[in-house]
Amino acid sequence: MAIRGDKFLKLSKAGFFSIKEHALERMEEFLGAMPDLDDAFEMFCGSIQLSFSEMWMRGYRPAYKQRKEAGIPTWYFELPCNEVELIAVISKGMMCGEYEWVTTYTRNHRNESNILWGIDLSFQAA
């Protein structure tokens, strides 16, 4: 069951949450305006967590497994935004209890084509 961003921070006992400049710049690129930190944090608090499999089904190909193998846990949250689909990528920071919003994803031609390539056509008769 997916949880909201604010509940994620509470359950994970986050002591510190930072938003990287890169994540905000990506939002500006996708929305046409950069939100201030308070607005971005509010968006994250209202976001809904997505699983890796949900990301895969939507056509995204994040480096989740590589990060996990490197000891860097990663989570994905769909931000409440009417204009475009925005996904916040959250990672554990260097300090104990620190979580970072490291980048922001959106739909593009690559993930759209990944959806098409991911369709199972095995049910069709040859």
Side-chain angles (χ1 to χ4, degrees):
M1 183 166 141
I3 63 172
R4 285 174 30 129
D6 55 353
K7 183 131 185 170
F8 169 80
L9 293 175
K10 183 178 179 181
L11 291 174
S12 62
K13 298 180 181 166
F16 187 72
F17 184 77
S18 62
I19 304 172
K20 297 290 187 183
E21 186 72 22
H22 173 73
L24 292 172
E25 288 170 352
R26 298 272 296 189
M27 289 181 75
E28 179 179 29
E29 178 184 335
F30 305 141
L31 296 174
M34 184 182 295
D36 64 30
L37 287 175
D38 289 337
D39 290 340
F41 181 70
E42 187 175 320
M43 286 179 77
F44 174 75
C45 287
S47 66
I48 300 296
Q49 186 177 15
L50 300 173
S51 67
F52 175 75
S53 60
E54 288 172 304
M55 292 289 289
W56 192 263
M57 287 185 332
R58 291 179 183 209
Y60 295 97
R61 300 298 182 255
Y64 172 81
K65 292 178 182 178
Q66 295 90 329
R67 288 183 178 129
K68 186 176 180 180
E69 288 172 0
I72 305 168
T74 306
W75 299 268
Y76 306 97
F77 289 84
E78 183 174 11
L79 301 168
C81 183
N82 293 330
E83 293 86 25
V84 294
E85 180 178 85
L86 293 177
I87 309 292
V89 179
I90 309 301
S91 184
K92 270 199 162 184
M94 299 296 271
M95 300 183 323
C96 182
E98 178 186 14
Y99 291 82
E100 301 175 314
W101 178 350
V102 293
T103 192
T104 307
Y105 294 157
T106 194
R107 289 232 162 268
N108 61 35
H109 68 283
R110 282 181 290 183
N111 51 37
E112 290 292 336
S113 64
N114 286 338
I115 291 172
L116 295 176
W117 283 108
I119 295 174
D120 181 9
L121 300 176
S122 61
F123 66 89
Q124 294 181 347

